[in-house]
């Protein structure tokens, strides 16, 4: 029974990423606020940046959560069949990696915001010239 609890704990972060990813895509926070949502200085600079950040973060968390969840589930099943004691040994490391991944996802979201919005939250428009066609 303890193995099942441990397996559930290792799937908690990917499950949260998937759920929050779906929420950010389907029902993101309507207005910029300091309570709920993807809250950074750049994402909160305008309503358009806020909406954009939630779409990008939602897709990223949904994808990462699904991939990490499947990898962890496969690893857990393999370890339980091969050597049960390894699950306890590696659980902390796997949780740490998941937490780091969760935080690292901020980088591509902020990068996308920086490429598409200025510091004041105005959309950056790139002039089309003959070379870009």
């Amino acid at each position: 029974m303890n193995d099942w609890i441990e397996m559930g704990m290792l799937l908690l972060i990917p499950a949260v990423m998937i759920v929050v990813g779906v929420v950010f895509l389907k029902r993101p926070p309507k207005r910029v606020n300091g309570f709920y949502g993807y809250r950074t200085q750049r994402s909160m600079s305008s309503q358009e940046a806020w909406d954009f950040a939630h779409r990008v973060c939602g897709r990223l968390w949904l994808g990462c959560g699904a991939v990490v969840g499947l990898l962890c589930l496969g690893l857990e099943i393999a370890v339980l069949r091969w050597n049960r004691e390894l699950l306890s040994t590696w659980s902390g490391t796997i949780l740490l990696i998941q937490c780091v991944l969760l935080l690292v996802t901020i980088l591509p979201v902020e990068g996308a915001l920086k490429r598409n919005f200025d510091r004041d939250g105005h959309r950056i428009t790139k002039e089309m010239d003959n070379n870009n066609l």
Side-chain angles (χ1 to χ4, degrees), residues 3 6 9 13 19 35-36 38 48 55 58 64-65 69-70 76 79 83-84 93 115 118 122 128-129:
D3 292 337
E6 207 161 331
M9 294 299 291
I13 291 174
V19 169
F35 178 69
Y36 161 69
Y38 181 85
E48 188 179 8
R55 283 191 306 274
C64 284
L70 289 173
E76 292 168 13
V79 167
N83 186 348
R84 284 182 123 77
T93 304
R115 285 188 304 277
D118 65 16
H122 301 110
M128 292 295 286
D129 59 21

Side-chain angles (χ1 to χ4, degrees), residues 12-121:
L12 189 60
I13 291 174
V16 167
M17 289 179 79
I18 291 168
V19 169
V20 172
V22 168
V23 169
F24 279 3
L25 287 172
K26 301 288 184 188
R27 293 188 177 259
K30 299 278 186 223
R31 300 194 197 310
V32 177
N33 69 78
F35 178 69
Y36 161 69
Y38 181 85
R39 300 176 320 268
T40 63
Q41 184 174 358
R42 197 174 292 273
S43 71
M44 295 174 74
S45 60
S46 72
Q47 186 65 46
E48 188 179 8
W50 178 258
D51 295 337
F52 177 85
H54 284 86
R55 283 191 306 274
V56 173
C57 186
R59 280 192 305 256
L60 186 62
W61 277 20
L62 180 59
C64 284
V67 170
V68 170
L70 289 173
L71 288 173
C72 284
L73 185 61
L75 178 66
E76 292 168 13
I77 291 169
V79 167
L80 284 175
R81 288 180 173 234
W82 182 50
N83 186 348
R84 284 182 123 77
E85 281 121 32
L86 279 181
L87 185 62
S88 294
T89 304
W90 285 96
S91 292
T93 304
I94 292 169
L95 286 172
L96 180 63
I97 291 168
Q98 290 175 350
C99 288
V100 168
L101 177 67
L102 186 67
L103 292 173
V104 167
T105 59
I106 293 170
L107 299 175
V109 177
E110 288 301 304
L113 281 166
K114 189 174 184 177
R115 285 188 304 277
N116 288 278
F117 295 90
D118 65 16
R119 289 188 178 269
D120 297 322

